[in-house]
Amino acid sequence: MTSTDAPAIAEAYRMQLSRRRSYSALLWAIFALLMISGFWLADDRNAGGFWEGLPRIFDYPSELVAEAVQKAGNLPGLMLNALPALVETINIAAVATLLGGLGGGIMALLSTRGLAPWPRLVPLFRRLLDIARAIPELVIALVLIFILGGGPVPAAIAIAFHSVGALGKLFSEVAENASLKPVEGLESVGASWLLRIWFGIIPQVAPNWASYAMLRFEINIRASAILGFVGAGGIGYELRNAISWGQGRYDAAAAIFILLFATIVLFDQLTSVARNRLVRGQEQGQYGGRI
Amino acid sequence: MAVLDTNPVHELIGRKRLVSLAAPALILAYLVYVAISFDLAGLAGRARFDNGALLLQDFWSYKIHVTRDNRGEGAFETSIEGMRNATFSAANEPGWIARREDDGREITLPRGHSVTIAGDGLVTLATPEASYAIRPTGDGIEADIPDPPPNFSISDKRFSATLPEGARLTVTRSRSEVFRRQAGWELFFFDLSSPFYGRSLPQLIGLALSGERLDPERSNIAGMAQDFWNNSIWHHGDVAWAMFETVLMAFLGTFGAGLISLPIAFMAASNFAPSRIVRQLFRRFFDFLRGVDALIWTIILSRAFGPGPLTGSLAMLLTETGTFGKLFSEALENVDEKPIEGLRSTGAGALSRVRWAVIPQIAPVILSQLLYYLESNTRSATVIGAITGGGIGLLLMQAMQTTQNWEQVTYYIVLIVLMVMLMDWLSGRIRARLIRG
C-alpha cells in the first residue's frame, strides 16, 4: 500500500480490525459449542445425570463429615494405622523422583546439543524421552503388577519411568542454556567428558534441576496415591478398601482423606518454599555472590 | 594433605567435598532403606516371570485352540483363544487341521511335531524322536511313558506337554486340547461372522471397487466399515468411543477449569484483590482444591453422579481450578501496570481496564498453560477413567483383569501412547501458532 491518504488508511485499519474481531468471535463460538456439546455428551454417557446429581453433591461429604465428627475419637487411631501406608506412598514417590532425576539427568545430557558425547544420537535420545513421557504411569504399573504382583515396586518403577521422560526434557532445556565456557576450559586441560560435565555443567544446572525435581516429587506423590488405588499399594490401596466398606465405616475413609490431603498440601507448600529459595539463591549468585 | 586452617578457601573446599561425599551416601542409604521396606529381595520370589513371557508372546501372536470334549460325544471345536464368538466352522478351519475317517483330527504342529486325536479319544503325540500315546479315561488319564522328556508333565489326572513355538498339548479326563500359536492379532479387521473375513488386502480393495455385493443388503464398502466398527472381538467402535471420552474428559476438565479460575484468580492476585484477607482466602481455596486431588474428588463426585466421563471431567475440573488459580494469579501479579494506568486516565471502568489492559498481557501465558495441561490431562484422564469407569483407561483395566486378552491390552497401550503423542503434538502446534500470532 503506497497510499498516504489518511481516511483510506483508517478505513483499511477498521476493515482489518473488524475482520480480526469476527475471526475471534467465530473462534469463541466454536469453543463454546465444543464445550456445551462436550458437556452434554459427557452427561449423556455418564451413569447418573449432572442435574440429578447436583443436589446430592454434598450428601456423601456431609455423611462422611458427620460420621467422622461423631467418631472423632477413632480418627487418631485410624490415622496411625494408615501411617505406614502413607509412608509407603511417599517412599514410592521419593524413590521414583530420585531414579527419575538420575535417569532424566543422564538422558538430558545425552540429548542436549553441544554437550552430548555422541551428537549423532541426540535425536534418538530425544525420541526415547518423548516415548517415556507419553506412556502413562497407569499402563506400566498395570503391566508390572501382573508380572511382579501388587505392591510398591511396580508403582515406583512406573512413576520413575515417566519421571525420566518428564524431567529429561526439562533438564535438557536447562542444560541447553548453560554456559559452555567452563566446559571449554576443562577441555583445554584435557578433562574427559565425564569430568567436563561434572565440573563444568552440573554446578550450573544443579539449582534448576533440583527445583524441577521437587516439582516432580509433588506430582509423583499424587500419582503414587492414585496408582495405589488401582492396586499398587500405599495409601491409595487403603483408601479403596476403606471406601468399599461403605456406611458405618466412614471414619476410616475420613481418616485417610485427611491424611492424604494434609500430605499433599504439606509437600505442595514445602516444595514451593524450597523452589523459591533455590531460584532466588541462584539470582543472588548471578549478581556476584560467593564463588 | 596439609590443610591450612587459616586459609578460608581450603576450608570452603573441604566443606564442599564433605557435602559432595555425604549427599550420595545419604541417597544411597535411603535407597537401601527403601529396598528393604519394599522387600526387594522377596520380589524375585514373588515375581511371575512366566506371566511376563506369556504377555510378551501374546503381544505379537495368538493361540488357536483345538478342543475335544472327552465327556460327551467327543465333539471337536476349533476356536481362537477359546472364545465362543471366534469359533471356526468346518469350511474356514485352518489348513493344518485335518479331519480323519473316524471323525478324529490330525493336527500338524511346528518343527516336525504332530498330534492325532482319534475318534475314540486316543491322543497320539508324535515328536521327531518318538511317539507317545495318552488315553483319557472316566476318572483321569492313562499314559504309559516310562522316561518322559523334561517338557512333559504327567500325573494320573492330567498330561501336558510344552511344545516348540508356543504350542501345547493338554489332556485331562474332561478334554483334550491343542494350542498352536500364530503371529499377528487375530480377527483384527473382521471377525469370523463377517463375509470379508480371511480375504487379502488386494481382494478387499477389489471388492470395494467392484459392484459385486457379498451381502445384498449393503454395499461392500459400507459392509466393510460396519463389520470393522462392530468387530465382536476387538470392538473398534467401543474403543473409538472410549478414546473420545478420554480426550473429552481432558478437554472439559482443562478448559472448564480455565474458564472458572480466570475470574477468581483476580481475587488471589495481590495487585487486584480488594484486601489481603480476601487474597489469602482465595489462595487457601485454591490450595484446598489442589490438595484434595483428583483421586478424592473422583470418589466424592462418583457418589453423586455415578461412574462415567462427566464425573471424571468434573473431578479434573476441580483440581485444575486450583492449579490454574495459582498459576493465573501469579501471572496477574506480574502484569505491567502502565497500560492499566493509561486506561484509567481515559476514565475506563474496571471491566474495560481488565479487558483491554490485563487480558492481552496474560492471554499468551494462559493459553500456553492451558494447552500444556491439556496434554498432561489426557494422560491423567486415562488414570481417572480407570477409577471412575470411563474411557480407554477403564477398557485397559478390564482387559488386564481378565488376564487373557493381552493382545487387546497391547492394542490399548499403543492407542493410548499414540493419543497422548498426538495431543502433545497438537497442543505444541497450537501453542506455537497462538504465541507467534
Side-chain angles (χ1 to χ4, degrees):
Chain A
M1 261 192 278
T2 49
S3 158
T4 46
D5 185 8
I9 291 172
E11 183 55 29
Y13 173 73
R14 265 188 218 106
M15 287 275 284
Q16 199 190 358
L17 195 68
S18 75
R19 199 163 51 235
R20 209 189 297 157
R21 271 192 194 156
S22 54
Y23 273 141
S24 73
L26 188 72
L27 271 179
W28 273 107
I30 292 173
F31 176 69
L33 199 73
L34 279 176
M35 284 299 285
I36 293 166
S37 59
F39 173 81
W40 178 81
L41 207 68
D43 191 27
D44 193 47
R45 292 182 75 82
N46 213 58
F50 179 70
W51 302 111
E52 295 96 80
L54 204 55
R56 285 186 280 130
I57 197 162
F58 290 111
D59 288 4
Y60 180 62
S62 59
E63 271 174 53
L64 200 88
V65 170
E67 206 176 297
V69 169
Q70 201 190 336
K71 298 183 186 169
N74 290 348
L75 284 183
L78 286 166
M79 281 190 202
L80 213 62
N81 282 343
L83 209 58
L86 180 70
V87 170
E88 188 169 86
T89 292
I90 296 173
N91 275 338
I92 291 172
V95 167
T97 313
L98 273 177
L99 295 180
L102 212 66
I106 294 168
M107 288 297 284
L109 292 171
L110 292 176
S111 62
T112 308
R113 279 196 192 85
L115 297 179
W118 308 293
R120 275 161 183 273
L121 294 184
V122 163
L124 172 77
F125 286 117
R126 292 206 163 182
R127 286 296 87 72
L128 284 178
L129 282 179
D130 284 345
I131 292 170
R133 224 155 11 101
I135 302 178
E137 290 124 348
L138 175 79
V139 169
I140 304 171
L142 285 178
V143 169
L144 287 177
I145 287 172
F146 177 63
I147 297 172
L148 301 177
V153 180
I157 297 175
I159 300 175
F161 187 77
H162 184 79
S163 297
V164 168
L167 286 177
K169 189 189 179 205
L170 293 169
F171 283 5
S172 141
E173 278 166 14
V174 174
E176 258 169 13
N177 293 325
S179 160
L180 287 178
K181 283 184 186 132
V183 179
E184 280 158 16
L186 284 160
E187 201 170 5
S188 73
V189 297
S192 67
W193 180 79
L194 209 63
L195 288 174
R196 293 202 297 267
I197 294 296
W198 188 247
F199 292 109
I201 295 295
I202 298 294
Q204 290 188 62
V205 296
N208 273 325
W209 281 19
S211 153
Y212 280 131
M214 279 180 199
L215 190 68
R216 195 73 223 167
F217 179 48
E218 199 249 303
I219 297 171
N220 283 349
I221 290 177
R222 296 164 190 266
S224 112
I226 287 198
L227 286 187
F229 203 81
V230 298
I235 193 102
Y237 187 69
E238 299 290 320
L239 180 61
R240 190 171 66 173
N241 289 339
I243 63 166
S244 63
W245 290 328
Q247 217 150 11
R249 289 304 311 274
Y250 280 155
D251 49 342
I256 295 176
F257 278 144
I258 295 170
L259 262 187
L260 190 56
F261 174 70
T263 310
I264 291 174
V265 170
L266 175 74
F267 280 99
D268 188 40
Q269 303 292 333
L270 264 182
T271 53
S272 154
V273 168
R275 291 182 66 216
N276 271 338
R277 251 203 191 158
L278 273 174
V279 175
R280 210 170 292 148
Q282 194 195 14
E283 272 166 10
Q284 272 172 6
Q286 273 175 357
Y287 298 116
R290 279 196 304 176
I291 19 163
Chain B
M1 210 194 326
V3 178
L4 294 175
D5 285 354
T6 47
N7 193 337
V9 174
H10 277 230
E11 220 171 88
L12 185 70
I13 289 175
R15 216 168 32 234
K16 283 202 169 169
R17 196 166 279 170
L18 199 69
V19 168
S20 68
L21 281 177
L26 268 177
I27 290 173
L28 204 68
Y30 175 72
L31 287 178
V32 168
Y33 149 72
V34 169
I36 293 166
S37 90
F38 283 5
D39 192 19
L40 214 57
L43 191 73
R46 272 179 286 124
R48 301 271 319 270
F49 290 110
D50 49 333
N51 276 351
L54 181 77
L55 201 140
L56 279 179
Q57 232 170 20
D58 258 11
F59 272 179
W60 58 272
S61 67
Y62 63 98
K63 297 194 301 286
I64 291 183
H65 299 196
V66 183
T67 312
R68 180 185 187 272
D69 183 6
N70 289 341
R71 278 208 176 113
E73 291 161 15
F76 279 92
E77 200 175 73
T78 306
S79 67
I80 288 171
E81 303 274 358
M83 285 185 287
R84 190 150 303 152
N85 55 359
T87 307
F88 290 98
S89 66
N92 59 13
E93 227 169 39
W96 43 267
I97 304 173
R99 284 167 188 257
R100 281 162 49 106
E101 300 271 295
D102 60 354
D103 211 26
R105 297 285 190 279
E106 204 171 313
I107 299 146
T108 316
L109 295 175
R111 304 221 192 137
H113 291 67
S114 76
V115 173
T116 311
I117 306 178
D120 63 352
L122 176 70
V123 180
T124 317
L125 167 65
T127 65
E129 294 86 34
S131 164
Y132 310 91
I134 308 107
R135 177 179 289 285
T137 59
D139 58 351
I141 57 150
E142 280 169 11
D144 187 26
I145 302 168
D147 190 17
N151 56 336
F152 284 20
S153 112
I154 308 171
S155 70
D156 48 349
K157 295 277 178 223
R158 180 186 159 91
F159 170 89
S160 90
T162 318
L163 302 171
E165 294 183 22
R168 194 182 174 87
L169 167 68
T170 319
V171 183
T172 62
R173 73 188 169 125
S174 59
R175 61 181 158 181
S176 311
E177 206 164 26
V178 180
F179 295 167
R180 186 184 158 144
R181 279 199 171 271
Q182 305 275 95
W185 287 351
E186 77 282 7
L187 313 179
F188 183 74
F189 294 102
F190 304 112
D191 59 23
L192 290 171
S193 69
S194 164
F196 302 101
Y197 166 73
R199 286 167 201 272
S200 65
L201 186 65
Q203 273 178 327
L204 285 173
I205 293 172
L207 277 172
L209 296 177
S210 80
E212 237 176 285
R213 291 189 172 188
L214 284 189
D215 181 350
E217 298 283 309
R218 31 180 215 182
S219 77
N220 282 337
I221 289 190
M224 278 180 213
Q226 270 177 14
D227 286 356
F228 176 73
W229 193 252
N230 299 323
N231 185 319
S232 67
I233 313 290
W234 290 85
H235 307 284
H236 295 294
D238 295 341
V239 173
W241 261 114
M243 299 256 292
F244 174 72
E245 264 180 22
T246 302
V247 175
L248 183 70
M249 274 195 257
F251 176 78
L252 286 179
T254 311
F255 288 106
L259 283 178
I260 293 172
S261 61
L262 181 59
I264 316 178
F266 281 90
M267 292 289 131
S270 57
N271 46 349
F272 291 98
S275 73
R276 286 190 66 147
I277 300 163
V278 172
R279 170 169 175 257
Q280 283 301 321
L281 220 66
F282 276 93
R283 286 182 76 122
R284 290 293 90 80
F285 173 64
F286 288 141
D287 285 346
F288 170 76
L289 286 179
R290 225 150 17 99
V292 174
D293 195 41
L295 172 65
I296 302 177
W297 284 125
T298 309
I299 294 167
I300 291 175
L301 292 176
S302 65
R303 296 291 165 125
F305 301 118
L310 181 75
T311 309
S313 322
L314 291 176
M316 203 177 286
L317 187 146
L318 285 173
T319 318
E320 295 303 12
T321 301
T323 314
F324 291 152
K326 186 181 178 201
L327 288 172
F328 292 175
S329 66
E330 278 164 9
L332 283 171
E333 280 170 4
N334 289 329
V335 295
D336 186 4
E337 295 282 334
K338 288 192 189 91
I340 306 173
E341 284 304 308
L343 274 170
R344 200 196 292 275
S345 74
T346 66
L351 214 60
S352 349
R353 287 204 299 273
V354 167
R355 168 66 187 86
W356 300 108
V358 180
I359 297 289
Q361 288 191 57
I362 58 166
V365 181
I366 288 179
L367 272 173
S368 103
Q369 295 280 10
L370 282 177
L371 288 166
Y372 176 75
Y373 272 88
L374 179 67
E375 183 262 330
S376 107
N377 278 343
T378 314
R379 252 179 288 112
S380 316
T382 323
V383 188
I384 289 180
I387 302 168
T388 185
I392 191 89
L394 181 72
L395 287 188
L396 180 69
M397 277 278 276
Q398 285 171 341
M400 285 247 162
Q401 274 158 0
T402 62
T403 63
Q404 278 173 3
N405 303 329
W406 292 110
E407 61 285 343
Q408 299 199 347
V409 169
T410 321
Y411 179 45
Y412 298 149
I413 291 177
V414 169
L415 284 179
I416 291 172
V417 171
L418 286 180
M419 175 179 74
V420 174
M421 285 185 133
L422 183 78
M423 293 301 279
D424 188 19
W425 175 81
L426 203 69
S427 82
R429 280 292 294 269
I430 301 176
R431 207 157 55 209
R433 167 161 289 192
L434 281 176
I435 287 169
R436 201 185 334 120

